[in-house]
Amino acid sequence: MRDTSLWLPTSVKEVKDRGWDYIDVILFSGDAYVDHPSFGAAVIGRILENAGYRVAIVPQPNWRDDLRDFKKLGVPRLFFGVSAGAMDSMVNHYTAARRRRSDDAYTPGGRHGMRPDYPTIVYSNILKELYPDVPVAVGGIEASLRRLSHYDYWEDRLRPSILVDSKADILVYGMGEKPILEIASRLEQGERADQIIDVPQTAILLPREMIPAETNANNIILASWEECVASKKKQSSNFKHIEQQSNRLVPDTVLWQKMEQLGKVVKVNPMLPAMTQGEIDASFDLPYTRQPHPRYDGKTIPAYEMIRHSVNLHRGCFGGCAFCTISAHQGKHIASRSHESVLKEVENVTRMPDFKGYISDLGGPSANMYGMSGKNQEICRNCLKPSCLHPVVCPNLDTSHESLLELYNKVDKIPGIKKSFIGSGVRYDLSMHPTGNHKTDNINREYNRQLITKHVSGRLKVAPEHTEDHVLKLMRKPSFTQFEEFKNIFDNVNRKEGLNQQIIPYFISSHPGCREIDMKNLASKAKRLHLRPEQIQDFTPTPMTLASEIYYSGFHPYTGEKIYVARKPEEKIAQRNHFFFWQKPEERQNRKR
């Protein structure tokens, strides 16, 4: 057994071994405890620890027995923190066809059934029942994307803010390092939880009378929960405001949504600006062991195996894809780590006993947005657009890949590094975009060349998502012709360098606006290009995405246009199978019947 003192304590014994007679904050997580900057509970725990607080973690507590896991560490001095984990629990538990999955990548051995549906609600309710006077703060992707009324695909209904069902005192949305420190500090200073109502990037449930009289420069009053239940169009209209406010450079607008039947109102405080380089470095430079807690020795945690030798370069994504939750959670403005911080982490990876010389991914939400921002920040300050790439690349966006290319080269020179791969998705429309600046265009061409020759593990995965322009427009993705151009670059570089590599495209079926004929056309174009896609993602509506709002309401939130949506199982199956997997013998037989 390894020395558990290098990790945050998870048991009574580990707390006693530290000589603690109290704990400031106890975190409950739906994931196994992996002390790595890709796992939210570890990040929040280390941030609080670095600020001088005593923090313990209870990973995957048993909610079906006598609740001993919720009682074993007693009552924290400040608050309980609750997160469902690094992945939405319902996406984790169910397929797009609402079938129960048989495994869980964030659990030792991939074992399923180690967390409930909606852990945020279940854990928080248990804690409030056991310890009604102790503040509970909820956060993570599940809580973040459910901060206001939202469509729940798995129950096929509109649900209110998760604050209502969880009974939590406060919700932290987005990346939680800064909000959680302010919450801890204010509780430390003696404020009650119900007095902490103005922390940026938090949501709270307040008495209805606290709502402003009307929408003004710093407040937007959304359609109430009851109005949204009665009118899908009002829920759709709400989304436009929510998305725009999530993507502002300097947010300063509060969102309000009444819960008339409860006599309450949800107040969503403005999102924080993207972290500075110093702030994001400070988070990643904390003393993570980068390994699962010793309690899991001898067991494999699949999600950890995927990222154990990877390094994240930045947060945020300005792609604004209609089906993606990244900007709603992290914002569209990029927070990039310094070269020094990244290189320090890579050196730590090289010292891992099982490291064989290969970095599995130097990436981020979109691998090649590192270091990018608007040239004129005043233009960005006034921008409410959800995407900097759609319908065209913003002329104010600095798309130079120079700093990223320099970082790749620095990493590859570190002793012990044989090769660094780029496993995250690459936006080829970004690296191919002609800027008119000779230097930038040459650098970006060189980026594509080095990506293909030095950083592909034999197969480069990219995500054109579809082939038909009207579907791609709804997805906020570029025309398929750009993928074809990139494939030509890929093939030419491989031919010139004597490489035998494959390009693996990812596509989505049943996305709003997509019909069976569109998938048939997709299959035809894939065949023409000699593509053999290995993965088709049946569209799954997840809270707080444009595509989910269209799926639920049938209308586009920005235009009011009525959009076709494939909802019936037979429609979705037809799109996914009969037209996509044209190369499979059994599907060819199905079409002959």
Side-chain angles (χ1 to χ4, degrees):
M1 176 70 76
R2 291 170 292 161
D3 181 5
T4 59
S5 68
L6 299 176
W7 283 258
L8 298 172
T10 65
S11 67
V12 173
K13 180 181 183 304
E14 291 167 28
V15 171
K16 288 182 177 178
D17 286 346
R18 292 194 173 208
W20 292 357
D21 55 358
Y22 67 89
I23 303 171
D24 292 311
V25 181
I26 301 175
L27 303 176
F28 286 82
S29 172
D31 291 341
Y33 171 32
V34 180
D35 193 44
H36 187 285
S38 292
F39 290 76
V43 174
I44 296 301
R46 290 296 188 183
I47 282 285
L48 288 165
E49 177 193 51
N50 187 63
Y53 298 104
R54 296 180 176 183
V55 186
I57 293 181
V58 181
Q60 299 189 313
N62 190 336
W63 75 101
R64 292 175 289 201
D65 60 4
D66 60 1
L67 306 181
R68 67 188 66 180
D69 283 344
F70 293 87
K71 302 173 185 175
K72 65 182 182 181
L73 297 182
V75 179
R77 191 171 64 91
L78 297 179
F79 67 93
F80 289 112
V82 170
S83 171
M87 187 176 181
D88 187 281
S89 70
M90 303 308 282
V91 177
N92 179 287
H93 280 176
Y94 298 94
T95 68
R98 298 189 178 96
R99 294 193 184 96
R100 188 83 178 186
R101 299 186 190 274
S102 59
D103 58 1
D104 182 339
Y106 292 86
T107 299
R111 181 182 174 189
H112 70 93
M114 295 300 289
R115 78 182 88 206
D117 290 352
Y118 311 107
T120 306
I121 295 173
V122 175
Y123 296 168
S124 183
N125 271 277
I126 290 171
L127 291 169
K128 292 307 284 185
E129 184 174 338
L130 291 173
Y131 313 105
D133 298 326
V134 181
V136 173
V138 296
I141 191 77
E142 182 168 275
S144 181
L145 302 181
R146 290 170 166 79
R147 55 191 183 260
L148 290 158
S149 63
H150 57 279
Y151 172 63
D152 188 289
Y153 172 69
W154 299 273
E155 293 188 346
D156 194 25
R157 70 181 179 99
L158 198 71
R159 295 186 66 146
S161 165
I162 199 170
L163 280 165
V164 174
D165 292 325
S166 69
K167 301 181 178 64
D169 296 278
I170 191 164
L171 181 154
V172 176
Y173 68 92
M175 311 310 286
E177 291 103 322
K178 294 175 75 174
I180 207 69
L181 285 177
E182 183 169 347
I183 291 168
S185 174
R186 289 173 66 166
L187 289 170
E188 174 84 40
Q189 292 168 25
E191 288 191 58
R192 300 191 315 271
D194 61 3
Q195 295 174 311
I196 303 175
I197 65 172
D198 57 354
V199 176
Q201 216 162 292
T202 64
I204 53 273
L205 202 58
L206 298 173
R208 186 192 183 283
E209 55 267 24
M210 295 188 70
I211 192 171
E214 58 186 16
T215 291
N216 54 47
N218 297 112
N219 296 278
I220 294 177
I221 301 174
L222 303 170
S224 71
W225 149 247
E226 287 81 5
E227 287 175 314
C228 290
V229 170
S231 169
K232 291 183 177 181
K233 273 198 169 183
K234 289 191 174 181
Q235 170 66 18
S236 179
S237 296
N238 275 1
F239 174 78
K240 179 179 177 180
H241 294 297
I242 297 167
E243 183 176 53
Q244 287 178 335
Q245 296 307 315
S246 296
N247 288 321
R248 294 183 63 182
L249 178 66
V250 184
D252 61 2
T253 303
V254 177
L255 299 178
W256 302 82
Q257 185 177 38
K258 290 180 285 187
M259 305 285 159
E260 298 281 14
Q261 295 176 4
L262 296 175
K264 300 283 188 179
V265 61
V266 177
K267 179 190 181 191
V268 179
N269 291 307
M271 200 169 194
L272 285 160
M275 280 182 158
T276 65
Q277 187 173 88
E279 289 170 341
I280 194 170
D281 279 357
S283 179
F284 276 88
D285 291 348
L286 293 171
Y288 303 98
T289 64
R290 291 187 58 88
Q291 297 178 44
H293 188 276
R295 67 192 292 155
Y296 309 120
D297 281 354
K299 299 177 182 177
T300 297
I301 300 173
Y304 169 68
E305 296 303 313
M306 291 178 64
I307 55 89
R308 66 188 303 159
H309 298 142
S310 70
V311 176
N312 187 17
L313 307 183
H314 69 273
R315 292 178 181 167
C317 179
F318 50 72
C321 297
F323 46 82
C324 183
T325 62
I326 292 171
S327 66
H329 188 60
Q330 297 187 8
K332 77 174 182 181
H333 297 281
I334 306 301
S336 299
R337 300 170 64 185
S338 67
H339 285 198
E340 291 73 23
S341 176
V342 172
L343 295 173
K344 178 182 175 182
E345 185 175 356
V346 171
E347 288 171 353
N348 287 339
V349 173
T350 65
R351 289 191 283 269
M352 294 175 69
D354 62 340
F355 183 67
K356 306 298 183 185
Y358 300 96
I359 298 292
S360 60
D361 185 23
L362 284 175
S366 284
N368 57 323
M369 290 183 183
Y370 175 84
M372 295 186 183
S373 63
K375 302 168 192 172
N376 183 337
Q377 289 292 288
E378 283 305 307
I379 293 176
C380 295
R381 182 182 292 271
N382 297 317
C383 179
L384 293 178
K385 292 181 179 179
S387 174
C388 302
L389 300 181
H390 182 84
V392 296
V393 177
C394 177
N396 188 47
L397 180 65
D398 181 358
T399 63
S400 174
H401 289 60
E402 184 173 18
S403 182
L404 181 57
L405 202 52
E406 289 176 357
L407 182 55
Y408 288 174
N409 293 332
K410 287 178 181 178
V411 168
D412 289 345
K413 290 177 182 177
I414 291 176
I417 298 294
K418 296 177 181 177
K419 198 164 187 177
S420 59
F421 298 117
I422 312 305
S424 302
V426 173
R427 289 297 300 245
Y428 50 81
D429 52 332
L430 186 58
S431 62
M432 291 169 56
H433 172 64
T435 67
N437 181 299
H438 184 69
K439 178 183 176 183
T440 297
D441 290 347
N442 280 341
I443 287 169
N444 293 356
R445 277 192 290 271
E446 178 62 13
Y447 173 84
N448 284 330
R449 190 192 71 80
Q450 288 199 29
L451 169 71
I452 296 166
T453 58
K454 294 184 177 182
H455 303 289
V456 175
S457 59
R459 296 148 58 89
L460 177 63
K461 298 176 182 179
V462 294
E465 309 296 6
H466 215 285
T467 60
E468 305 309 286
D469 282 345
H470 68 279
V471 180
L472 289 166
K473 181 180 178 181
L474 285 169
M475 290 179 164
R476 295 178 179 156
K477 295 288 285 187
S479 171
F480 189 66
T481 58
Q482 289 200 30
F483 169 77
E484 294 180 284
E485 292 171 14
F486 182 74
K487 185 178 183 299
N488 285 335
I489 293 172
F490 183 85
D491 291 342
N492 289 336
V493 170
N494 274 278
R495 193 179 305 112
K496 183 176 179 180
E497 300 292 334
L499 300 171
N500 183 25
Q501 300 182 135
Q502 291 179 289
I503 191 166
I504 307 297
Y506 284 69
F507 294 106
I508 295 177
S509 63
S510 303
H511 189 277
C514 180
R515 299 176 184 269
E516 290 185 13
I517 185 63
D518 298 315
M519 292 305 293
K520 184 175 183 178
N521 291 338
L522 187 157
S524 176
K525 291 177 181 179
K527 183 177 182 179
R528 173 173 58 81
L529 292 172
H530 306 291
L531 298 172
R532 298 184 68 85
E534 295 185 354
Q535 181 170 324
I536 175 70
Q537 175 66 53
D538 191 10
F539 170 67
T540 303
T542 52
M544 210 170 282
T545 67
L546 173 66
S548 297
E549 296 297 337
I550 296 174
Y551 179 92
Y552 172 66
S553 71
F555 298 95
H556 197 295
Y558 285 78
T559 67
E561 176 188 3
K562 190 172 179 60
I563 306 293
Y564 168 78
V565 176
R567 288 191 179 89
K568 296 178 181 177
E570 56 268 28
E571 292 176 314
K572 296 167 75 69
I573 290 171
Q575 285 202 28
R576 189 179 191 279
N577 293 337
H578 298 302
F579 292 143
F580 190 83
F581 291 111
W582 49 267
Q583 68 270 40
K584 289 189 174 184
E586 63 268 27
E587 291 304 326
R588 290 199 293 268
Q589 289 300 316
N590 285 340
R591 291 198 296 275
K592 291 177 182 178
R593 291 173 187 165

